């Protein structure tokens, strides 16, 4: 079923199941420990062997790391805008509640754990899996926010008006799948959203149900147009795009410095208003479409050192926006010379809708 709503429903059901499971775990733990009042011994008790102590310490460290990184992955690394925001908040809340409860319980040991070898084995397996995983995910947290500094980045203007959100963006593969390909490093995919943070209406089955579709795009740089393709048809909404022959679809390439080109891709056919050889200074280029290798209407943009799409030989370069209003986490702020990572909402300074 090729509709954005179908994908959203799958994610929503999956997250809802996780939330229900976590709530069941919280209720069970509260009942078994506090209501039934099963005996427990402090982790420093002399009857507790060194093996169990190490397991509980390892488990406690894992839970502490999860408490620290859960909000980061939920609000930055995951596709937050695919599911209702309240559901995402609920997932973070119940996860932190369970983690806080387990962190508290890691300071003591139940009599059953001391008496039953099976429970020690289960705890050992859990620690062997959870501790390395939590450490691994924690180590990657700084990389999520890493981005070349201002001196290493090109400074450009926002190519769109209104409020948009980044689906793929940033300097890490955790938040930006483009970084797997050298030519696409630091590329961004952005979609327009309404006041409720949704980027489509109805089922999201047709292109015109996506708010980005038909939105005007403006040149983010002053330069010379070196490539224009404007005749490819829009693709249908699909969760499995497969147009490998024309990955960028209708697109414009602008040379703004020697051997530096801005690519803007996936335009609606026959809406591009510039021609090869034109000198442009921030004017209208065309409308967002769904041409090329794309799931739904959005704007793709990146900077590289070749005037054509060449993922084998080109190199991508970082860029920042001169000024914008950006919401990262839960708060909006005015940002100068800033960059985007996944789930960042952004708009122009003059936009008063936020």
């Amino acid at each position: 079923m090729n509709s954005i709503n179908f994908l959203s429903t799958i994610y929503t059901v999956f997250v809802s199941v996780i939330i229900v499971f976590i709530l069941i775990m919280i209720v069970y733990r509260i009942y078994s420990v506090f209501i039934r009042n099963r005996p427990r011994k402090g982790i420093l008790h002399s009857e507790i062997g060194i093996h169990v102590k190490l397991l509980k310490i390892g488990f406690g460290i894992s839970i502490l790391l999860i408490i620290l990184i859960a909000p980061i992955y939920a609000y930055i690394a995951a596709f937050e805008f695919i599911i209702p925001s309240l559901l995402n908040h609920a997932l973070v809340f119940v996860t932190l509640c369970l983690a806080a409860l387990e962190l508290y319980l890691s300071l003591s040991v139940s009599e059953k754990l001391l008496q039953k070898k099976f429970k020690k084995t289960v705890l050992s397996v859990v620690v062997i899996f959870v501790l390395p995983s939590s450490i691994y995910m924690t180590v990657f947290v700084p990389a999520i926010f890493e981005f070349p500094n201002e001196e290493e980045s090109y400074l450009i203007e926002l190519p769109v008006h209104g409020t948009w959100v980044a689906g793929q963006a940033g300097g890490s593969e955790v938040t930006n799948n483009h970084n797997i390909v050298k030519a696409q490093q630091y590329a961004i995919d952005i979609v327009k959203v309404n006041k409720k943070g949704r980027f489509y209406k109805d089922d999201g089955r047709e292109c015109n149900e996506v708010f980005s579709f038909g939105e005007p795009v403006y040149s983010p740089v002053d330069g010379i147009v070196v490539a224009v393709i404007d005749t490819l048809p829009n693709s249908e909404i699909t969760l499995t795009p497969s147009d490998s022959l024309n990955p960028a679809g209708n697109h414009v390439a602008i040379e703004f410095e020697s051997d530096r080109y801005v690519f803007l891709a996936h335009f609606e056919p026959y809406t591009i208003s510039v021609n090869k050889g034109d000198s442009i200074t921030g004017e209208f280029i065309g409308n967002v479409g769904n041409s090329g290798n794309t799931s739904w209407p959005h704007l793709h943009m990146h900077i590289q050192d070749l005037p054509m799409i060449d993922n084998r030989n080109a190199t991508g370069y970082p860029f920042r926006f001169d000024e914008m209003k950006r919401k990262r986490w839960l708060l909006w702020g005015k940002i100068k010379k800033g960059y985007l990572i996944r789930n960042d909402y952004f708009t122009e300074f003059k936009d008063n809708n936020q």
Side-chain angles (χ1 to χ4, degrees):
M1 186 175 181
N2 286 332
S3 74
I4 304 173
N5 194 55
F6 174 73
L7 179 64
S8 178
T9 300
I10 295 297
Y11 273 84
T12 298
V13 170
F14 177 70
V15 173
S16 299
V17 170
I18 293 177
I19 290 174
V20 171
F21 175 77
I22 293 175
L23 285 173
I24 292 173
M25 288 291 296
I26 292 173
V27 172
Y28 170 76
R29 294 294 276 168
I30 291 175
Y31 173 76
S32 62
V33 175
F34 299 103
I35 297 178
R36 295 190 63 181
N37 198 25
R38 290 177 175 174
R40 302 179 69 87
K41 297 181 184 298
I43 193 173
L44 298 179
H45 197 283
S46 58
E47 293 184 14
I48 301 175
I50 185 66
H51 173 66
V52 174
K53 287 182 179 179
L54 290 176
L55 286 176
K56 294 294 284 187
I57 291 172
F59 185 69
I61 292 173
S62 303
I63 296 302
L64 180 59
L65 293 177
I66 289 173
I67 291 175
L68 295 174
I69 66 177
I72 296 174
Y73 279 91
Y75 290 114
I76 302 296
F79 284 101
E80 177 193 357
F81 61 92
I82 291 291
I83 63 174
S85 58
L86 286 177
L87 199 65
N88 197 54
H89 298 332
L91 176 61
V92 174
F93 177 75
V94 298
T95 299
L96 293 179
C97 286
L98 178 61
L101 177 60
E102 292 297 338
L103 183 61
Y104 171 76
L105 295 177
S106 69
L107 300 176
S108 61
V109 179
S110 67
E111 291 286 354
K112 280 193 173 183
L113 179 61
L114 293 175
Q115 296 169 3
K116 295 188 177 181
K117 186 176 180 180
F118 172 74
K119 282 189 168 291
K120 293 187 180 73
T121 302
V122 171
L123 180 59
S124 299
V125 172
V126 169
V127 172
I128 289 172
F129 173 75
V130 175
L131 183 58
S133 299
S134 60
I135 293 174
Y136 178 81
M137 294 181 70
T138 303
V139 168
F140 270 94
V141 166
I144 291 175
F145 301 96
E146 285 181 357
F147 200 85
N149 59 36
E150 295 175 14
E151 290 73 22
E152 299 174 297
S153 304
Y154 290 101
L155 192 62
I156 64 177
E157 302 293 331
L158 290 175
V160 291
H161 298 323
T163 303
W164 297 63
V165 63
Q168 300 287 346
S172 165
E173 291 180 14
V174 178
T175 64
N176 194 350
N177 292 338
H178 295 114
N179 290 324
I180 299 172
V181 180
K182 185 180 178 182
Q184 298 283 318
Q185 283 183 328
Y186 311 108
I188 62 172
D189 287 339
I190 58 175
V191 293
K192 189 174 184 179
V193 294
N194 63 8
K195 292 182 178 180
K196 295 182 179 180
R198 289 176 59 86
F199 70 98
Y200 68 96
K201 61 182 179 180
D202 300 329
D203 282 340
R205 192 187 303 273
E206 304 294 335
C207 286
N208 58 13
E209 295 177 354
V210 179
F211 299 133
S212 305
F213 188 74
E215 281 295 305
V217 178
Y218 303 88
S219 176
V221 295
D222 297 342
I224 305 297
V225 177
V226 296
V228 174
I229 292 181
D230 189 37
T231 58
L232 297 173
N234 284 318
S235 302
E236 295 182 354
I237 299 288
T238 175
L239 306 183
T240 55
S242 58
D243 190 352
S244 57
L245 295 178
N246 303 290
N250 298 315
H251 65 274
V252 175
I254 306 164
E255 185 176 25
F256 64 98
E257 286 187 11
S258 178
D259 295 327
R260 293 295 182 268
Y261 307 87
V262 172
F263 275 78
L264 300 112
H266 308 310
F267 285 95
E268 189 178 358
Y270 306 110
T271 66
I272 295 177
S273 63
V274 297
N275 299 299
K276 185 176 181 180
D278 285 353
S279 177
I280 56 177
T281 56
E283 61 260 39
F284 170 78
I285 294 176
N287 294 335
V288 174
N290 197 45
S291 57
N293 196 49
T294 170
S295 292
W296 53 69
H298 70 280
L299 179 66
H300 169 99
M301 184 171 71
H302 73 276
I303 294 176
Q304 67 176 43
D305 57 357
L306 292 177
M308 76 290 292
I309 299 296
D310 187 344
N311 287 340
R312 291 186 177 182
N313 300 304
T315 298
Y317 293 90
F319 55 89
R320 293 168 175 257
F321 296 107
D322 184 37
E323 58 181 19
M324 60 180 165
K325 289 172 63 179
R326 185 185 69 191
K327 186 179 83 167
R328 182 172 296 170
W329 302 104
L330 302 174
L331 301 175
W332 284 90
K334 292 184 177 181
I335 306 296
K336 289 185 177 292
K337 300 179 181 179
Y339 62 93
L340 298 172
I341 57 179
R342 180 181 292 159
N343 292 331
D344 278 349
Y345 289 76
F346 65 96
T347 186
E348 321 97 293
F349 273 178
K350 62 183 179 181
D351 192 328
N352 296 317
N353 292 327
Q354 296 291 342

